[in-house]
Amino acid sequence: MRFPKGKSIDTRDLDSLAPAFKRGESRCGVYRLRFANGEAYCGQATNVIRRYGAHRRHYPDIVGVDFFPFSKARLNEAEQILITETEQLMPLRNVMLAGRPRGDETIEIVTAAGSTVALPWEPERAKGPAKSLADEGEEKFANLLTHPMFPTLRSILGWYIALTIPDPAATAGQLWTATCLPSTNKSDNHHRLITISCGNLETLYITADRRMHDGSFYYTVRINTSSLDNYEQFRDPESGMHRARWGASAGRYSNEHVGGFWFDPEDLDQITTGEIDFPQLDAFVDASYELNVRLMRRGSTMYSRFHNQKLADTLIAEAVIWESVLAES
């Protein structure tokens, strides 16, 4: 597109552009406002005199206007060309349409939450997602996301939430909680990765314990259910031939009798997908749901201050996927 001959108007002593236009001269076209600090603003108007009056009320530091007449049908194309050419010469105030908004230097933007973020052009200078998450107060969650066991644990917990926690999105943080890397009983040789609590009772928690012979960690998923009469029905049929893949026994908290189950995470993952046959799986799931609902029906949890909503959202998203999978099976 070739630009027609335009006009450059010094507006330092003008309140209106009207004196710069002859009678019958086109006022439809694209324009560039020039400001006292060297910046520019590019735009389009079917009546540049009227548009300039609106700009003048917002920008008292306008010192000049460059105007190029165009038909209405060509305004969009002409405006983008003018922006592209102008940003090579000077900073633009209408940054949304610029190819390099606000120039070549790193800029800082204040977010709606009040924090300041830097936006460099060079990707190697940009803050990455892990640091970004940590700087927003989610360092534990960022660390959990990169844990090698997390993909397996996310799947297990999505399955668990889909089957045992009613209306999980609406009740998260109030009737049930997800805690990320809690400090419960933490030591050099033992720590927790995730705890799920319903009401005021831990109903699922995942532990890491150090092996003494080589210093590596092994992981255990512990799930509480409502109290059951017969735990032998859940016995691992291969426990006598190989290592036990899970176990079950009666348990007790200060005000609650429970069934206590433990699983190797990888074995539990295969139970959820049907690769390992877990005896009386439906009875186990029903007992888990019964305990969770009973605890939630007692009212708000005292663990809300430990709740990590980003972790909960991640697990709820996984639960949505599991709900679809389970519906098809």
Side-chain angles (χ1 to χ4, degrees):
M1 173 185 287
R2 294 189 61 181
F3 264 49
K5 182 179 179 180
K7 60 175 63 184
S8 184
I9 307 165
D10 187 330
T11 62
R12 284 174 289 188
D13 296 321
L14 293 179
D15 292 328
S16 170
L17 290 185
F21 287 83
K22 299 176 182 178
R23 182 183 296 274
E25 190 175 4
S26 175
R27 293 159 172 77
C28 180
V30 296
Y31 59 88
R32 175 170 54 214
L33 306 181
R34 289 180 276 109
F35 299 95
N37 66 354
E39 292 180 339
Y41 179 107
C42 299
Q44 59 172 272
T46 55
N47 187 326
V48 71
I49 295 175
R50 184 167 59 245
R51 180 64 58 82
Y52 173 78
H55 282 311
R56 192 74 177 182
R57 290 191 290 272
H58 292 287
Y59 300 121
D61 58 334
I62 301 173
V63 296
V65 175
D66 302 318
F67 175 75
F68 304 91
F70 278 96
S71 65
K72 187 175 180 180
R74 306 188 74 188
L75 289 180
N76 289 337
E77 182 184 3
E79 180 187 22
Q80 189 58 63
I81 292 174
L82 183 61
I83 288 172
T84 301
E85 292 181 352
T86 301
E87 69 174 331
Q88 307 302 317
L89 306 173
M90 59 193 76
L92 287 178
R93 285 194 184 179
N94 50 331
V95 296
M96 294 302 292
L97 295 177
R100 291 181 74 86
R102 301 186 183 180
D104 293 327
E105 300 301 319
T106 296
I107 65 165
E108 292 186 342
I109 299 291
V110 178
T111 68
S115 59
T116 301
V117 299
L119 301 176
W121 285 111
E122 303 82 5
E124 65 275 9
R125 294 177 57 197
K127 184 185 293 185
K131 185 68 164 64
S132 177
L133 198 58
D135 286 351
E136 292 302 305
E138 294 291 350
E139 184 174 4
K140 284 187 174 182
F141 183 51
N143 290 337
L144 180 64
L145 287 172
T146 59
H147 194 285
M149 283 297 297
F150 186 70
T152 298
L153 301 181
R154 180 181 59 204
S155 180
I156 290 170
L157 291 170
W159 172 85
Y160 174 81
I161 290 170
L163 290 172
T164 72
I165 296 181
D167 201 352
T171 54
Q174 181 179 354
L175 301 182
W176 73 276
T177 59
T179 308
C180 180
L181 298 176
S183 58
T184 311
N185 300 324
K186 185 177 181 180
S187 69
D188 290 341
N189 296 317
H190 172 88
H191 61 273
R192 290 190 183 188
L193 298 179
I194 299 171
T195 297
I196 302 294
S197 298
C198 291
N200 294 323
L201 185 71
E202 299 167 345
T203 57
L204 180 153
Y205 56 96
I206 300 160
T207 59
D209 292 277
R210 192 186 301 275
R211 294 185 177 95
M212 301 309 295
H213 68 280
D214 63 1
S216 64
F217 282 93
Y218 66 92
Y219 304 93
T220 308
V221 180
R222 301 181 184 274
I223 300 176
N224 291 319
T225 71
S226 60
S227 183
L228 295 156
D229 295 330
N230 175 18
Y231 295 96
E232 186 63 22
Q233 64 180 316
F234 302 104
R235 184 175 181 273
D236 180 1
E238 296 186 7
S239 60
M241 298 175 286
H242 308 285
R243 65 174 178 83
R245 297 173 293 177
W246 62 81
S249 62
R252 179 174 173 79
Y253 286 79
S254 59
N255 61 349
E256 194 77 41
H257 289 277
V258 300
F261 289 76
W262 64 264
F263 300 87
D264 176 284
E266 293 181 351
D267 291 329
L268 180 53
D269 188 40
Q270 293 184 67
I271 289 171
T272 66
T273 59
E275 297 170 70
I276 292 179
D277 184 26
F278 180 78
Q280 304 298 326
L281 179 60
D282 290 344
F284 165 74
V285 170
D286 289 345
S288 298
Y289 180 86
E290 181 183 335
L291 175 65
N292 291 353
V293 171
R294 181 165 69 249
L295 295 168
M296 293 169 70
R297 286 167 67 98
R298 291 174 181 167
S300 297
T301 173
M302 64 182 178
Y303 297 123
S304 292
R305 66 186 184 278
F306 304 117
H307 179 65
N308 187 294
Q309 189 58 48
K310 283 187 170 58
L311 173 58
D313 289 340
T314 301
L315 300 180
I316 291 168
E318 191 74 16
V320 171
I321 297 171
W322 264 111
E323 183 180 45
S324 176
V325 171
L326 293 166
E328 295 174 357
S329 61

